[in-house]
């Protein structure tokens, strides 16, 4: 089995699967507001309907509000695993 090709450094491949195509589009739009992203490619999710969207986000180009949130939420090396985490 071949491994999937990895995106370039600083990029992430995102797959959104939803029963409602509009819900998938909303999630993709939120990602595009936070990160530079390609246009979502849409595919059927299966025989029962639904939508699967694929897009690539550039995690090196974030919107300013997201950048400040990410900076303040970075975990430190002193963080310990919480009891309810695996």
């Amino acid at each position: 089995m071949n491994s999937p090709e990895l995106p370039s450094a600083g990029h992430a491949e995102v797959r959104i699967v939803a029963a409602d195509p509009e819900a998938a589009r909303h999630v993709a739009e939120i990602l595009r507001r936070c990160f530079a992203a390609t246009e979502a490619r849409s595919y059927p999710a299966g025989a029962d309907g639904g939508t699967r969207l694929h897009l690539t986000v550039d995690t090196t180009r974030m919107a300013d509000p997201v950048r400040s949130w990410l900076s303040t939420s970075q975990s430190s090396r002193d963080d310990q695993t919480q009891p309810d985490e695996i």
Side-chain angles (χ1 to χ4, degrees):
M1 181 174 179
N2 292 337
S3 298
E5 186 177 320
L6 294 175
S8 59
H11 291 79
E13 293 290 328
V14 178
R15 307 289 186 256
I16 303 164
V17 179
D20 176 22
E22 199 58 31
R25 282 192 282 276
H26 284 302
V27 173
E29 180 60 31
I30 290 168
L31 287 171
R32 279 193 223 97
R33 288 182 186 177
C34 297
F35 301 99
T38 61
E39 190 63 31
R41 298 167 308 280
S42 178
Y43 304 94
D48 295 334
T51 299
R52 186 178 62 192
L53 296 180
H54 295 187
L55 67 151
T56 302
V57 296
D58 181 349
T59 63
T60 65
R61 295 180 43 212
M62 295 175 269
D64 289 332
V66 174
R67 185 185 321 273
S68 62
W69 175 80
L70 285 173
S71 297
T72 59
S73 67
Q74 294 293 324
S75 63
S76 71
R77 292 180 183 245
D78 296 333
D79 286 350
Q80 300 294 321
T81 301
Q82 299 298 313
D84 60 341
E85 294 179 321
I86 340 182

